[in-house]
Amino acid sequence: MKNLISVVGPTGIGKTKLAIDLAQHFNTEIVSCDSRQFFKEMKIGTAAPSDEELAAAPHHFIGNLSVEEYYSIGQYEEDALKKLNELFKNHETVILVGGSMMYEKAVIEGLNDLPEADEENQKKLNDIFEYEGIEKLQEILKERDPEYFAVVDFHNHRRLLRAIDVIWQTGKKYSELIAVSQDSRDFNVIRIGIEAPREELYSRINRRVDIMMEKGLLDEVKGLEKFKGLTALNTVGYAELFKYFDGEWELDFAVSEIKKNSRRYAKRQLTWYRKANDIHYLSLGYSEKEYEDLLKWIADQF
């Protein structure tokens, strides 16, 4: 069985360095699952690995796209699995790294290939909810998919609406669809996280934004102004500076908003990772002994 070591954690915590250390130790390559670093025009604002870091270990999915290209999470899942299959021909172990939670999930578990919400169904279901109450929704779901009804939080009307909508659209049970679409992965996944006290993480994030500004983030964003309507650029570090260029905000305020929004994003990442019980943590600025212990722990997982 091949091994995928996934390095996770909030923005600005030092995942790149750990991933490179592990890649060098296992003499292997790195697959990025940071969805913002796919775009070659956004190096500074996404804290993409530097040229020195890219030279320290082979990286994939860094700067491989242009902001003008549309790229979905489904396409990424397909491309990343194809790349892993290639890499596993020559390597027993490959490193995955990035803080885009859903993109990591796409690689290690697979995505639920479910249809988008149907507007008419949603309207119909909302009417039922409003006029006949949540009990009616529970009744519909119980009748159409007793297996899912047994496990769903049936007091959460959004969950009921989503499941019934999908059942109506596909004519299949929701429980079957979510079971089938989780492709099994033929590699072993080992998840490593880095953690730090929140204050320390936040001050690292603030400092990192200052460094981005020193490195020329303003010019990078200025050069992308004509693309500001694109999805890729509707993101922290870019959206705020576009408002400065539009004359809506002062520069100091825009920079403080980048810091605030980066901290908020880190908070969401922490919440997501906290729900997982399969992440082995290292502390920020880990010692050599901690790193050696980590390597021993990893060896025991193989």
Side-chain angles (χ1 to χ4, degrees):
M1 187 75 119
K2 302 290 185 172
N3 300 295
L4 182 68
I5 299 175
S6 180
V7 178
V8 300
T11 187
I13 200 140
K15 296 183 293 292
T16 301
K17 182 189 181 304
L18 177 57
I20 291 170
D21 288 348
L22 290 169
Q24 289 179 337
H25 175 81
F26 290 103
N27 190 21
T28 189
E29 306 192 11
I30 295 171
V31 169
S32 171
C33 65
D34 187 315
S35 64
R36 291 166 16 116
Q37 292 179 359
F38 299 159
F39 301 105
K40 56 175 179 273
E41 302 90 342
M42 297 168 65
K43 284 195 178 85
I44 300 171
T46 64
S50 64
D51 292 342
E52 296 77 52
E53 288 169 330
L54 292 171
H59 285 70
H60 304 277
F61 302 101
I62 298 279
N64 57 311
L65 297 171
S66 162
V67 291
E68 293 178 82
E69 291 178 68
Y70 171 75
Y71 194 61
S72 72
I73 189 165
Q75 286 168 285
Y76 170 73
E77 180 185 353
E78 208 175 302
D79 293 346
L81 290 176
K82 209 157 109 189
K83 178 54 71 182
L84 286 176
N85 283 335
E86 273 171 40
L87 295 174
F88 281 139
K89 284 180 186 144
N90 302 314
H91 302 282
E92 285 303 303
T93 302
V94 174
I95 314 299
L96 180 72
V97 63
S100 302
M101 292 88 76
M102 289 304 290
Y103 284 73
E104 187 218 12
K105 182 178 161 62
V107 176
I108 64 177
E109 282 178 28
L111 291 170
N112 293 331
D113 202 9
L114 298 173
E116 297 288 316
D118 177 275
E119 232 172 286
E120 273 182 43
N121 286 349
Q122 292 292 320
K123 190 183 175 321
K124 206 164 155 188
L125 288 163
N126 274 309
D127 286 348
I128 292 173
F129 177 55
E130 214 168 302
Y131 299 112
E132 301 181 60
I134 197 165
E135 297 76 18
K136 185 63 182 170
L137 293 176
Q138 292 166 349
E139 202 180 298
I140 296 170
L141 183 61
K142 193 173 184 180
E143 190 185 321
R144 295 293 301 265
D145 190 348
E147 291 80 6
Y148 187 63
F149 185 77
V151 294
V152 70
D153 169 9
F154 54 75
H155 299 299
N156 182 336
H157 74 282
R158 289 185 193 286
R159 291 276 162 85
L160 303 178
L161 292 178
R162 175 69 179 140
I164 298 167
D165 177 12
V166 170
I167 292 167
W168 283 355
Q169 283 189 64
T170 61
K172 294 177 180 168
K173 290 182 176 177
Y174 190 73
S175 52
E176 281 169 20
L177 289 167
I178 52 180
V180 171
S181 55
Q182 295 280 336
D183 291 341
S184 57
R185 298 297 192 239
D186 55 357
F187 46 80
N188 191 14
V189 176
I190 296 158
R191 299 175 84 199
I192 310 288
I194 306 175
E195 59 183 352
R198 194 165 285 195
E199 302 67 45
E200 201 174 332
L201 173 62
Y202 286 176
S203 78
R204 270 178 77 98
I205 289 170
N206 292 342
R207 198 161 63 243
R208 188 160 86 150
V209 174
D210 291 333
I211 292 167
M212 285 175 183
M213 290 301 289
E214 284 162 26
K215 282 186 177 169
L217 178 60
L218 204 55
D219 289 341
E220 181 174 89
V221 179
K222 184 71 183 154
L224 291 167
E225 211 177 351
K226 62 177 178 290
F227 301 122
K228 68 179 178 190
L230 298 176
T231 312
L233 289 156
N234 182 16
T235 187
V236 181
Y238 297 84
E240 297 86 354
L241 290 175
F242 289 141
K243 289 197 170 172
Y244 160 66
F245 289 125
D246 286 346
E248 271 185 64
W249 289 356
E250 294 289 324
L251 184 58
D252 285 355
F253 181 71
V255 172
S256 72
E257 285 296 293
I258 296 174
K259 292 176 180 175
K260 184 177 84 183
N261 291 329
S262 300
R263 294 192 302 268
R264 276 191 180 153
Y265 179 55
K267 197 175 171 187
R268 286 210 305 278
Q269 289 170 307
L270 290 170
T271 305
W272 172 278
Y273 295 128
R274 207 169 287 126
K275 289 177 188 158
N277 55 8
D278 61 345
I279 302 175
H280 182 85
Y281 281 101
L282 275 181
S283 56
L284 178 68
Y286 48 88
S287 65
E288 209 159 308
K289 180 176 182 328
E290 263 187 285
Y291 180 63
E292 292 302 322
D293 288 347
L294 171 70
L295 294 176
K296 280 183 200 138
W297 181 83
I298 291 172
D300 290 342
Q301 311 305 306
F302 291 171

